[in-house]
Amino acid sequence: MFKSIRLLRPVTRIQPIFNSRWLNTSAVSAEKDVYLEMLDGSSKGIAVLNLNRPKAKNAISVKFLQEFREALKEARFSSEVPRVLILNSLVDGVFCAGADLKERAGMSPPQVTEFLYNLRQAYRELETLPIPTIAVIDGAALGGGLEMALSCDLRVAGAKAKIGLPETRLAIIPGAGGTQRLPRLIGSAKAKELIFTSATLTAQGAFECGIVNYATEESSYPKALSLAESMLPQGPIAMRMAKMAIDKGLQADIDTGLEIEQAYYAQVIPTEDRMEGLMAFREKRAPVYKGK
């Protein structure tokens, strides 16, 4: 399942952004900590959720969290729902440093409880998006930052990645899904070790543990973009049904899981896309799927 790759030459973070995106230079985006951007050209159908709070290393404040949820809502309910979503930081050397502890220090206990509730809801909204999601970890992904990445379907990490759940060092525990998603991903024994020791992993260490799908020697954005582009030709309804079948089935025993698979398979049978796929195969041409 997992494979480490070696980039043949250094790739700057600027290059893939400028080659494949609509350049969003509006004042609205400039003022936001988080915003959604649709790619164009050969990457049309891919959306990038940009994290851009450089002064605080993308620490999750109340404002950041609100804009994060707004971007997810846009991705879910847009008139043109993207086929794939990439989470990417525009801040060099950091993915997301976790919660804004300076802001939290001024919160009352009820306010902290409300903030954590909203954070868990946000990550659940990310996790249940009906499209594949890929986290680009090119810097520190600690605490809530790693929990954000764990809510994605796939993760790729670059040379600057620092990955971990250090909460016990602060006399707290992961509070946005880390104690649940990490052991489901890599097993309880290894997850307990990482949480109990507050260990910080490199990209290669995270790859060896199974936390990330790929570890690159430079920026991991090109690999994430390549993965996303490889998903674009697939039937969008089939992709959605496959994701839901996997996620729901993992929560059940094998017999129930097979029934879940059958139920989602039944939903692709009457689609125009399925007939298009069959005709394209017979006619030896590329299919043109419309999500119908």
Side-chain angles (χ1 to χ4, degrees):
M1 175 181 178
F2 298 106
K3 180 180 180 182
S4 180
I5 66 170
R6 177 185 178 89
L7 296 182
L8 298 180
R9 60 183 178 180
V11 180
T12 65
R13 295 176 59 79
I14 295 177
Q15 182 180 6
I17 294 175
F18 279 80
N19 283 348
S20 60
R21 298 189 183 183
W22 288 343
L23 297 184
N24 192 335
T25 57
S26 68
V28 173
S29 296
E31 294 172 356
K32 286 191 171 184
D33 295 337
V34 184
Y35 63 93
L36 195 70
E37 187 176 9
M38 298 297 296
L39 304 193
D40 199 5
S42 62
S43 299
K44 186 175 183 180
I46 299 171
V48 179
L49 194 156
N50 292 302
L51 311 178
N52 190 31
R53 193 187 179 208
K55 292 182 179 180
K57 298 182 179 179
N58 285 340
I60 306 169
S61 63
V62 171
K63 176 179 180 291
F64 184 104
L65 181 56
Q66 180 181 352
E67 292 175 358
F68 184 81
R69 298 186 76 178
E70 289 171 355
L72 291 177
K73 183 178 180 180
E74 183 181 350
R76 186 183 291 266
F77 298 112
S78 171
S79 57
E80 291 189 18
V81 177
R83 300 280 187 94
V84 188
L85 179 71
I86 295 175
L87 265 68
N88 182 56
S89 169
L90 299 181
V91 182
D92 186 49
V94 63
F95 174 71
C96 175
D100 187 333
L101 298 182
K102 292 182 179 179
E103 183 182 71
R104 183 176 293 186
M107 293 181 178
S108 66
Q111 288 174 325
V112 173
T113 299
E114 180 182 2
F115 177 84
L116 287 174
Y117 172 82
N118 289 327
L119 186 59
R120 293 188 196 101
Q121 289 295 109
Y123 289 175
R124 190 65 179 139
E125 289 163 8
L126 170 60
E127 189 172 39
T128 58
L129 276 178
I131 56 175
T133 54
I134 306 171
V136 175
I137 306 175
D138 274 334
L142 303 171
L146 177 54
E147 289 173 312
M148 181 190 297
L150 290 173
S151 300
C152 293
D153 298 310
L154 304 176
R155 288 153 294 280
V156 291
K160 296 181 180 180
K162 295 180 180 179
I163 296 170
L165 295 173
E167 285 87 348
T168 54
R169 189 182 304 153
L170 300 174
I172 56 177
I173 69 171
T179 64
Q180 302 305 306
R181 292 188 178 96
L182 188 61
R184 283 171 167 78
L185 181 65
I186 65 173
S188 63
K190 193 62 181 179
K192 287 177 179 177
E193 177 189 339
L194 296 178
I195 291 172
F196 293 168
T197 63
S198 293
T200 299
L201 302 175
T202 62
Q204 187 62 31
F207 167 75
E208 291 171 358
C209 286
I211 295 175
V212 301
N213 298 73
Y214 294 88
T216 68
E217 294 186 357
E218 299 292 339
S219 168
S220 58
Y221 181 85
K223 180 58 184 176
L225 184 61
S226 175
L227 275 172
E229 289 177 343
S230 72
M231 299 175 189
L232 291 177
Q234 324 311 332
I237 297 176
M239 295 287 278
R240 182 165 66 249
M241 295 300 107
K243 176 172 178 173
M244 295 175 71
I246 293 169
D247 290 349
K248 297 291 185 182
L250 283 174
Q251 301 173 32
D253 61 83
I254 183 64
D255 290 323
T256 303
L258 290 171
E259 292 177 2
I260 290 171
E261 180 184 79
Q262 181 181 5
Y264 283 116
Y265 193 103
Q267 296 186 51
V268 303
I269 292 177
T271 64
E272 295 179 17
D273 280 355
R274 186 180 75 91
M275 297 307 299
E276 166 64 11
L278 291 173
M279 287 189 292
F281 178 79
R282 183 171 61 247
E283 297 168 5
K284 298 182 180 180
R285 60 173 175 83
V288 180
Y289 295 125
K290 299 179 180 179
K292 296 181 180 180

